[in-house]
Amino acid sequence: MEGKKITNESGVVAVEAIIPNIRPPLPLEPKELYRSLKPANVSAQIREGLRKSPELQEFFKPFKGQIVVEIGPGELLTGYQVVLLSGAKAYIGVEPYDFVDNLKQFLEEAEQATSHYLLSQIARTAVKADALSFLRRLPDKSVSIFASQLESVMQKEYADSVVEEMERVLHPQGALIQYDSNFNLDKNLFERHPVDPELAEKLSLDWRLEKYQPKT
């Protein structure tokens, strides 16, 4: 991946340090196009599964070495923990509401919050932006995306625009991985892989987990 090398000790940094050629901030889209959601801790189930399941680790393998953008994490650290356990290069949490400040503080303290994983931390940050205004800032084919519990939180026209931007920015070796979300990428350009139902049952994953990868 292009850009400045990010060391594991970087901690919370400016988003420009993770993506040096990111475009300047854009105004947020009108809030009537998306609603506030204080997510449940559903990603914690994935986090625990990644610790013990080689099959789930393989499912999340496209995140390895990637800059991963999480859309709508709320103030929860579990999305970062999922990305960390997946071997990603860096994490960006994108949240339009004020509890993004809590997320940023939690990311500051991630060494304590994730010390039991015995993993080196990765560069990380939180950005106050809605999904569409942030994705429009990104270079083509530059990131992977994690979306958890975003079922029906966006107006259709807005969600369609978000999907178009996801298709533009997804890294050729990366993926969109979504959990209880309903983004459907162009099947002519991307391959959809749902998680195996038996694995989902084994890990008590009660919501839909799937990934989209660019076709090669």
Side-chain angles (χ1 to χ4, degrees), residues 8-71:
N8 285 349
E9 292 76 30
S10 296
V12 174
V13 297
V15 68
E16 291 82 3
I18 296 175
I19 307 178
N21 50 346
I22 192 171
R23 300 181 184 97
L26 295 170
L28 271 64
E29 294 292 313
K31 285 190 175 180
E32 58 264 25
L33 298 178
Y34 51 89
R35 64 182 177 87
S36 177
L37 178 69
K38 195 92 166 186
N41 206 4
V42 293
S43 299
Q45 295 172 288
I46 299 174
R47 177 196 65 198
E48 294 307 312
L50 280 168
R51 295 177 64 188
K52 60 186 180 183
S53 169
E55 299 97 329
L56 196 62
Q57 293 164 16
E58 181 66 23
F59 188 85
F60 275 80
K61 192 174 181 180
F63 277 0
K64 186 175 179 62
Q66 292 279 313
I67 297 169
V68 180
V69 174
E70 182 179 16
I71 300 299

Side-chain angles (χ1 to χ4, degrees), residues 4-5 8 10 17 26 31 54 63 75 83 88 104 122 124 161 167 169-170 180 183 200 202 206 210-211 216:
K4 185 190 304 182
K5 179 176 172 59
N8 285 349
S10 296
L26 295 170
K31 285 190 175 180
F63 277 0
E75 62 182 357
V83 169
K104 197 161 192 176
I122 58 176
R124 54 203 181 270
S161 296
E167 292 173 346
V169 304
L170 276 178
D180 195 28
F183 300 112
K202 173 184 172 183
D206 299 325
E210 61 185 10
K211 65 183 172 185
T216 55

Side-chain angles (χ1 to χ4, degrees), residues 12 17 25 42 52 60 78 84-85 103 128 136 201 210:
V12 174
V42 293
K52 60 186 180 183
F60 275 80
T78 47
L84 180 67
L85 288 163
L103 173 63
K128 186 174 182 179
R136 283 174 170 165
E201 183 176 359
E210 61 185 10

Side-chain angles (χ1 to χ4, degrees), residues 157-216:
E157 183 177 349
Y158 178 91
D160 289 346
S161 296
V162 168
V163 166
E164 289 179 6
E165 289 300 309
M166 286 180 171
E167 292 173 346
R168 180 183 66 81
V169 304
L170 276 178
H171 192 279
Q173 282 77 54
L176 160 66
I177 298 181
Q178 57 181 349
Y179 187 49
D180 195 28
S181 298
N182 58 349
F183 300 112
N184 296 302
L185 304 193
D186 187 340
K187 64 183 180 182
N188 295 313
L189 301 174
F190 297 87
E191 295 178 327
R192 175 181 172 269
H193 304 280
V195 76
D196 183 270
E198 291 186 6
L199 177 61
E201 183 176 359
K202 173 184 172 183
L203 298 176
S204 300
L205 298 176
D206 299 325
W207 288 272
R208 181 179 52 152
L209 176 63
E210 61 185 10
K211 65 183 172 185
Y212 283 90
Q213 293 178 272
K215 287 185 174 180
T216 55

